Amino acid sequence: MRLIEPNPASGQARLDLKRYFSVIKRYWIPISLFVIIVTLIATILVLSITPVYRATATLLIESQANKTISIEEVYSLDTNKKEYYQTQFEILRSDYLSEKVIDELGIAQIREFNNLVGKPSGREQLLTLLHKVEFLQSLLPKPTPVTETVDAGSANQSVLKKFKSHLAIEPIRNTQLVRIHFASADPVLAANVANALGQAYIESNLEARLVATQTASGWITDRLGELKNNLDISELALTQFLQDEGLIELNDIDELAGTELTNLTIRVAEAREKRVAAESIYSLMQGSGAGSAALLSVPEISNHPQVRDVKNAETDAERKVSELSKRYGEKHDKMIQARAQLAAVRSRANSVINELARGIEKELTNARKQEASLIAQLESKKGDYQNISSKRSQYESLKRDVDSSRQLYDLFLNRQKETTATSNFEDVIARFTDKAKTAQDPYRPQTTKLIAISAAFALLIGIVGALLADAYRNIIEKPDDIEEKLGLQHLGFLPQVKAKRFKNSPLDHTLYYDPDAALFSESVRTIRTSILLTLTNSKRKVLAVTSSLPSEGKTTVALNLAQSLAKMERTLLIDCDLRMPAVGSRYGLPRNQAGLTNALVMGTPISECIYHDDQSSLDILPSGLLPPNPQELLSSPKFTALINQLKQSYERIILDTPPVHVVSDSLILGRLAGGMVVVVKAESTTEKQINHTVAQLVRHDIAIDGVVLNQLSSKYAEAKYKLHYGYYNTNKKGDDTLEAS
């Protein structure tokens, strides 16, 4: 046999959808019945529900009303805030509007909203009838008797609660629109209520504004008298102040006083400059000495026009004396006259210089007096101006009182006139964009949708229930369960055989060579390969095959495994199930065929007890006659000696042993063989039963060579082989060649 191993997985767990589909397929009948029953019940319940119609009216809530009267600024909300719209939505949901619509449309007299009026509905009649059945009384709600009396307040609250349960306010995101939904069994009533509620909301806003306007108007009228009185008092106080101070208007006086202060300040500055200059000149004169020649060093004196004229005359007189001295003597009349003229000029110069010096001194004195006088005047004017400023502050304070009182009075007077002129104008903050219309189709129940959802939900529950039931079955279904659930080595599986010839009879030895059962043959060879690989390092020749319970296929596995081994080595199959032997019948041997018990009890030669099958080259040792003490026989030294004797003649000996749970014969045979191959029937043997078998074997120190899964679903088996081995084939000669790709 040649095998190609499948590519190893990436290490990530895969979701085994095929298993889930197989579970659903296995339970499809109960799932279908459950879905049909639930769908029928849901259909009956849905069809018994009274249809409800829903009408919708759409309102546009203005961000702010038209400002027809300015008095709204006194009481209006800030419509730019989100809270404004939330407030309007809550007003639409308010009990006040609902009660107003209930009274307007007579909702309290309709049976749908008041169970105490009118005839009972079909549903209530049905509940009344069902309450007559005793075991249903505790499961059904108690119907309300028509004659039951309750107080008016409770009845109104009940109607209001029922009414609001049918009402829904739905703001439309990012718009100023709001939908008013109302559901009722009467489509006309639903439309009327939706429209009536919208109209009631509009009217309630108008009423609120009208009441606020009237309240504000009365308040303004009262305030006008107070404001008029305050205005008169403030004007009288201003007039009295002007009379007491002898003033007419302070603006001109204040301006004149300011101008005088400015001029005096300028003059004081000029006088101070003049005085400083005079002091500077006088200081210079004092430092130069008292002579005329010294005074000429002062620029203000030397540069004076009179001094320059006198100095020029003196220069001319000196030049004339000089010219005449060249011509005449000292005693000449002209020289005497010239010298006299020069002396007169010099005397005149000294007189002018001295006079200028005295003038500078007088000018300094005058500058000082003028500066002191101007400073005194400035200080006096400052005092006067401060007095005027104080009076001005008092005047302005009284003037402000008059102005503010007059402004408030004028403002409230205008408000009163505007409110009176527009008090009858209806200013709305909401309007209908779409009025509710009578619905043609019921809003609920959505029959088709509910039935479909019920069917889908029932299908989901059915599938989940099937998966849970399968999970709690704790059975071995597929080869992977052997390692995952049991922790044992998986040797292989045998597919379920559906051949008609084996419908009422067990599988015989011919199935292994049936060309139509190629998958079965390949499965046997796979098991053979796994066992041989397991025993590679062992010198064991004996293999024991058992199961937990009868009818799990241990004989089928032992028989076909022996036939497969016989193709490779000399093999003997021994039927050790001395209580319910089956190997001989699988080969068509008669019941009285000599076998194992004949050799052990009667001493029949072993060669006469062994049957040889020419087709498979397999030797078979049937059970022989049924002994009364099979366990003692199998545990006897004769049986052990017989096995040792047969080991000399055969390379492989296969023992078909009884089930572990039925008798303990298999434990004796397992100890003798040195190990056990456990056969498990797919989708039948539970995990608990197999664990009990394993515990028995481990307790008696019997090695478990592996597990063979029998009667695996043929479709699953084919898929398994295609996944791992690509395709398989057997040639016409029936050899053991496995072609894989």
Side-chain angles (χ1 to χ4, degrees):
M1 175 185 285
R2 180 170 59 89
L3 295 174
I4 294 180
E5 294 294 333
N7 291 330
S10 61
Q12 297 180 351
R14 295 187 304 170
L15 184 63
D16 192 356
L17 295 177
K18 292 184 178 180
R19 177 186 176 185
Y20 297 138
F21 286 130
S22 65
V23 172
I24 295 172
K25 184 178 180 182
R26 184 187 310 121
Y27 290 97
W28 74 270
I29 293 179
I31 291 175
S32 301
L33 290 175
F34 179 75
V35 171
I36 292 172
I37 293 172
V38 172
T39 304
L40 288 176
I41 295 174
T43 303
I44 294 172
L45 292 176
V46 170
L47 294 178
S48 66
I49 298 174
T50 302
V52 175
Y53 296 85
R54 188 181 193 184
T56 301
T58 304
L59 281 180
L60 171 62
I61 299 178
E62 301 286 355
S63 61
Q64 59 183 8
N66 296 325
K67 292 187 177 181
T68 55
I69 54 173
S70 57
I71 192 63
E72 72 169 357
E73 297 174 0
V74 178
Y75 63 86
S76 62
L77 297 174
D78 186 356
T79 58
N80 294 322
K81 294 184 178 180
K82 182 175 67 174
E83 290 78 3
Y84 168 76
Y85 293 101
Q86 295 293 339
T87 303
Q88 303 309 310
F89 301 151
E90 292 303 319
I91 291 175
L92 280 168
R93 298 186 181 98
S94 66
D95 293 348
Y96 169 74
L97 292 183
S98 298
E99 290 173 348
K100 187 175 181 180
V101 174
I102 289 172
D103 295 338
E104 180 182 344
L105 300 181
I107 300 296
Q109 304 304 318
I110 300 176
R111 177 72 182 181
E112 181 181 359
F113 300 93
N114 192 348
N115 295 332
L116 303 180
V117 298
K119 295 181 179 180
S121 64
R123 179 176 179 273
E124 292 172 343
Q125 293 176 357
L126 177 61
L127 287 175
T128 303
L129 292 175
L130 292 175
H131 265 279
K132 295 180 180 180
V133 183
E134 293 184 2
F135 72 91
L136 293 178
Q137 290 179 357
S138 60
L139 303 176
L140 298 173
K142 184 179 180 181
T144 305
V146 178
T147 59
E148 183 179 351
T149 59
V150 292
D151 61 278
S154 300
N156 292 337
Q157 288 295 324
S158 177
V159 172
L160 176 62
K161 184 177 180 181
K162 192 70 175 291
F163 177 87
K164 295 190 72 174
S165 68
H166 289 229
L167 177 66
I169 305 299
E170 179 193 2
I172 302 177
R173 289 176 60 85
N174 301 323
T175 69
Q176 297 173 213
L177 299 175
V178 59
R179 292 192 181 105
I180 303 173
H181 304 291
F182 193 81
S184 172
D186 185 354
V188 176
L189 177 64
N192 291 339
V193 170
N195 292 328
L197 187 66
Q199 188 62 37
Y201 168 72
I202 295 173
E203 292 174 356
S204 68
N205 278 282
L206 290 175
E207 292 175 0
R209 286 175 175 271
L210 180 60
V211 171
T213 301
Q214 293 175 349
T215 303
S217 179
W219 176 72
I220 288 175
T221 302
D222 295 337
R223 286 288 295 162
L224 275 175
E226 298 178 6
L227 292 175
K228 177 62 176 165
N229 186 36
N230 293 337
L231 177 61
D232 293 341
I233 293 173
S234 60
E235 288 178 344
L236 180 61
L238 179 61
T239 303
Q240 187 66 36
F241 172 77
L242 293 175
Q243 290 177 355
D244 294 343
E245 298 295 333
L247 300 174
I248 298 176
E249 184 65 48
L250 288 181
N251 290 333
D252 295 338
I253 298 174
D254 183 62
E255 183 178 355
L256 179 61
T259 302
E260 289 182 354
L261 281 175
T262 302
N263 292 334
L264 282 174
T265 301
I266 294 173
R267 290 176 63 188
V268 166
E270 291 175 350
R272 182 178 290 109
E273 291 178 358
K274 188 175 180 180
R275 188 260 304 168
V276 170
E279 287 180 346
S280 176
I281 295 172
Y282 184 76
S283 297
L284 187 61
M285 287 173 53
Q286 293 295 325
S288 300
S292 299
L295 291 176
L296 286 176
S297 62
V298 179
E300 283 74 8
I301 295 177
S302 62
N303 293 330
H304 196 275
Q306 291 182 356
V307 174
R308 286 198 300 270
D309 293 341
V310 171
K311 294 300 290 183
N312 291 333
E314 183 180 1
T315 302
D316 293 339
E318 288 178 349
R319 185 175 59 254
K320 186 176 180 179
V321 170
S322 176
E323 290 176 356
L324 291 176
S325 63
K326 293 178 181 179
R327 197 180 294 178
Y328 302 105
E330 293 292 332
K331 301 231 187 236
H332 191 273
D333 292 336
K334 289 184 176 181
M335 280 294 295
I336 295 172
Q337 185 180 2
R339 289 184 181 280
Q341 186 178 0
L342 177 61
V345 171
R346 287 179 173 172
S347 176
R348 176 63 181 165
N350 292 331
S351 176
V352 170
I353 291 172
N354 292 328
E355 185 177 355
L356 287 177
R358 287 193 298 272
I360 290 173
E361 185 177 359
K362 290 180 180 180
E363 185 176 356
L364 174 61
T365 302
N366 292 334
R368 287 175 176 173
K369 291 180 179 180
Q370 185 179 9
E371 181 184 9
S373 176
L374 289 175
I375 289 174
Q377 292 181 22
L378 179 61
E379 294 298 327
S380 176
K381 288 297 180 181
K382 283 182 179 180
D384 295 341
Y385 186 76
Q386 289 176 352
N387 187 26
I388 293 173
S389 298
S390 175
K391 293 180 179 180
R392 177 181 177 82
S393 299
Q394 297 180 28
Y395 171 80
E396 289 179 349
S397 176
L398 295 172
K399 190 74 165 51
R400 281 196 300 270
D401 290 342
V402 173
D403 293 340
S404 61
S405 298
R406 183 176 289 111
Q407 289 176 359
L408 284 174
Y409 177 77
D410 293 341
L411 175 64
F412 274 75
L413 183 61
N414 291 332
R415 299 292 195 203
Q416 185 189 40
K417 291 180 179 179
E418 291 173 354
T419 305
T420 303
T422 60
S423 59
N424 296 326
F425 184 82
E426 294 186 352
D427 180 25
V428 297
I429 66 166
R431 59 185 173 86
F432 282 101
T433 58
D434 292 301
K435 285 199 172 184
K437 299 178 182 178
T438 303
Q440 302 299 320
D441 299 319
Y443 169 68
R444 65 173 186 267
Q446 299 178 8
T447 307
T448 305
K449 184 177 180 180
L450 288 178
I451 293 175
I453 291 175
S454 300
F457 189 67
L459 179 61
L460 178 62
I461 293 178
I463 292 174
V464 172
L467 293 175
L468 290 175
D470 180 74
Y472 282 100
R473 286 175 65 191
N474 289 327
I475 59 174
I476 304 301
E477 292 184 282
K478 60 184 188 301
D480 295 340
D481 292 343
I482 295 173
E483 294 182 358
E484 294 176 2
K485 295 182 178 181
L486 303 178
L488 300 176
Q489 181 181 1
H490 173 232
L491 299 175
F493 61 83
L494 291 182
Q496 191 176 23
V497 178
K498 296 183 179 180
K500 293 182 179 180
R501 63 192 179 97
F502 299 118
K503 186 175 183 180
N504 297 319
S505 60
L507 303 180
D508 60 20
H509 68 290
T510 61
L511 180 62
Y512 183 77
Y513 300 100
D514 190 344
D516 296 330
L519 178 59
F520 183 86
S521 304
E522 294 299 335
S523 301
V524 173
R525 284 191 280 272
T526 301
I527 296 171
R528 179 191 66 185
T529 303
S530 299
I531 292 175
L532 292 178
L533 291 174
T534 302
L535 301 178
T536 300
N537 298 325
S538 174
K539 296 181 180 180
R540 283 174 51 196
K541 292 186 176 183
V542 182
L543 289 175
V545 180
T546 188
S547 63
S548 300
L549 300 171
S551 303
E552 290 197 67
K554 62 178 182 57
T555 301
T556 300
V557 173
L559 185 151
N560 287 280
L561 177 60
Q563 289 187 140
S564 177
L565 288 169
K567 293 292 183 180
M568 303 175 60
E569 52 192 6
R570 191 177 182 190
T571 305
L572 173 65
L573 172 61
I574 303 176
D575 189 352
C576 295
D577 190 353
L578 303 182
R579 302 172 191 270
M580 295 184 65
V583 175
S585 62
R586 301 291 180 93
Y587 282 91
L589 300 178
R591 289 180 177 271
N592 58 357
Q593 173 72 32
L596 178 60
T597 56
N598 297 84
L600 295 176
V601 178
M602 301 178 183
T604 305
I606 193 65
S607 59
E608 296 179 7
C609 299
I610 294 176
Y611 168 77
H612 180 75
D613 181 54
D614 295 332
Q615 184 180 13
S616 61
S617 301
L618 176 65
D619 289 341
I620 299 100
L621 179 60
S623 62
L625 299 176
L626 296 179
N629 54 346
Q631 191 172 111
E632 289 80 358
L633 195 62
L634 293 175
S635 61
S636 65
K638 288 185 178 181
F639 180 72
T640 304
L642 178 61
I643 294 298
N644 292 331
Q645 177 186 346
L646 294 173
K647 285 181 181 180
Q648 305 301 320
S649 304
Y650 294 94
E651 296 176 282
R652 196 72 60 185
I653 299 173
I654 307 299
L655 305 180
D656 180 20
T657 69
V660 176
H661 285 202
V662 178
V663 292
S664 57
D665 299 357
S666 55
L667 300 177
I668 299 172
L669 297 171
R671 290 290 298 272
L672 180 63
M676 274 285 190
V677 174
V678 181
V679 178
V680 175
K681 184 178 180 180
E683 301 183 11
S684 176
T685 312
T686 64
E687 184 178 345
K688 182 178 179 182
Q689 292 168 339
I690 301 172
N691 287 333
H692 178 70
T693 300
V694 172
Q696 287 284 84
L697 297 176
V698 172
R699 187 179 300 113
H700 290 82
D701 198 21
I702 301 173
I704 301 174
D705 297 326
V707 178
V708 175
L709 189 62
N710 188 33
Q711 296 190 28
L712 183 65
S713 171
S714 57
K715 290 185 179 180
Y716 187 90
E718 290 176 2
K720 194 78 171 177
Y721 262 95
K722 288 180 181 179
L723 175 65
H724 288 277
Y725 304 111
Y727 65 89
Y728 49 84
N729 184 26
T730 55
N731 56 24
K732 295 181 180 179
K733 295 181 180 180
D735 59 12
D736 293 335
T737 303
L738 174 64
E739 298 181 4
S741 61

